[in-house]
Amino acid sequence: MPTNKPTGRKKPQVTAAPERRSELLATAAEVFAAQGYNATTVRKIADAAGMLAGSLYYHFDSKESMVDEILSTFLDELWAGYDTVLAAGLGPRATIEALVTESFREIDRHRAAVAIYQKESRHLAAQPRFGYLSDSQVKFEKAWLGTLERGVADGVFRADLDVRLTYRFVRDTVWVAASWYRPGGRHSPEEIARQYLSMVLDGIAVRE
């Protein structure tokens, strides 16, 4: 969950029905994901939404407000799921399985937001408004590394496992799926997670 968000952040104008607001944010997310944050203008978002740029300002005060809401909503939901997994008291392998599954569920729900996060988070995190991106990354790394280290200590994962390298491999292998995954495809997020886990865990679990 994003932590230590600046309390003085500029709030977007709230004048539309929640459904319309969600539709506009979904459209904006697709434009940001496809064209990049810097190349995206309010006019481009408005064109994609089939409205005048001036009308979009009726709902949001800037493209910064839009990408902020897109990313913070995604991370809030991601950490709600992750925190539930981490608080469940599962063993290391079961925790990894649950985290990977939750990650694919979030890609299913927020594919465009994941793509934006991957491409833009380092640049955006340099701005005070988006400091929560760095906070979330630190928390994310701690959760995964801690689980892998616990698995090595408990004898569930190989003693010679490089946990940091493994973390980077699993992280990148999972989240790159946002570049090709499309909701409603032939495989559910849970099925994709099972396939990924069968490949990953056979390489790091202790062989009987």
Side-chain angles (χ1 to χ4, degrees):
M1 185 178 299
T3 55
N4 300 322
K5 260 193 170 180
T7 57
R9 60 183 286 195
K10 197 173 183 180
K11 292 184 179 180
Q13 299 166 357
V14 181
T15 54
E19 296 81 7
R20 180 55 174 160
R21 187 179 185 80
S22 295
E23 290 173 1
L24 292 174
L25 285 172
T27 298
E30 292 295 338
V31 178
F32 283 128
Q35 301 188 20
Y37 178 73
N38 288 334
T40 298
T41 63
V42 171
R43 180 175 296 279
K44 287 181 179 179
I45 297 171
D47 287 346
M51 62 196 303
L52 297 173
S55 298
L56 191 59
Y57 281 114
Y58 180 75
H59 305 290
F60 302 95
D61 60 23
S62 65
K63 72 171 188 176
E64 184 182 52
S65 291
M66 284 182 272
V67 79
D68 187 3
E69 191 162 344
I70 290 164
L71 291 175
S72 61
T73 297
F74 155 58
L75 288 174
D76 283 345
E77 290 193 17
L78 175 70
W79 279 108
Y82 270 25
D83 285 341
T84 297
V85 170
L86 295 170
L90 303 173
R93 179 171 179 138
T95 299
I96 291 292
E97 290 172 344
L99 289 175
V100 168
T101 301
E102 186 60 36
S103 298
F104 278 107
R105 287 172 178 157
E106 290 305 317
I107 291 172
D108 181 64
R109 298 181 190 119
H110 298 287
R111 184 198 60 79
V114 173
I116 296 166
Y117 181 86
Q118 289 179 314
K119 295 176 184 176
E120 310 289 352
S121 60
R122 182 173 298 180
H123 165 71
L124 290 173
Q127 303 177 39
R129 178 173 189 159
F130 294 95
Y132 63 89
L133 296 175
S134 296
D135 295 336
S136 183
Q137 179 58 38
V138 170
K139 185 179 178 182
F140 186 90
E141 183 173 311
K142 181 178 179 181
W144 282 85
L145 286 177
T147 302
L148 290 167
E149 289 167 351
R150 182 161 59 95
V152 172
D154 291 353
V156 176
F157 302 144
R158 297 196 326 249
D160 64 342
L161 193 69
D162 184 321
V163 294
R164 185 165 293 275
L165 185 60
T166 302
Y167 155 68
R168 289 173 176 166
F169 171 77
V170 174
R171 177 197 64 190
D172 295 346
T173 301
V174 169
W175 293 106
V176 76
S179 66
W180 56 261
Y181 178 83
R182 293 296 180 272
R186 60 180 295 188
H187 297 299
S188 69
E190 291 78 13
E191 174 59 25
I192 295 173
R194 282 194 294 272
Q195 293 292 330
Y196 268 62
L197 285 162
S198 70
M199 291 181 282
V200 172
L201 290 176
D202 283 345
I204 67 175
V206 172
R207 296 178 179 178
E208 300 295 337

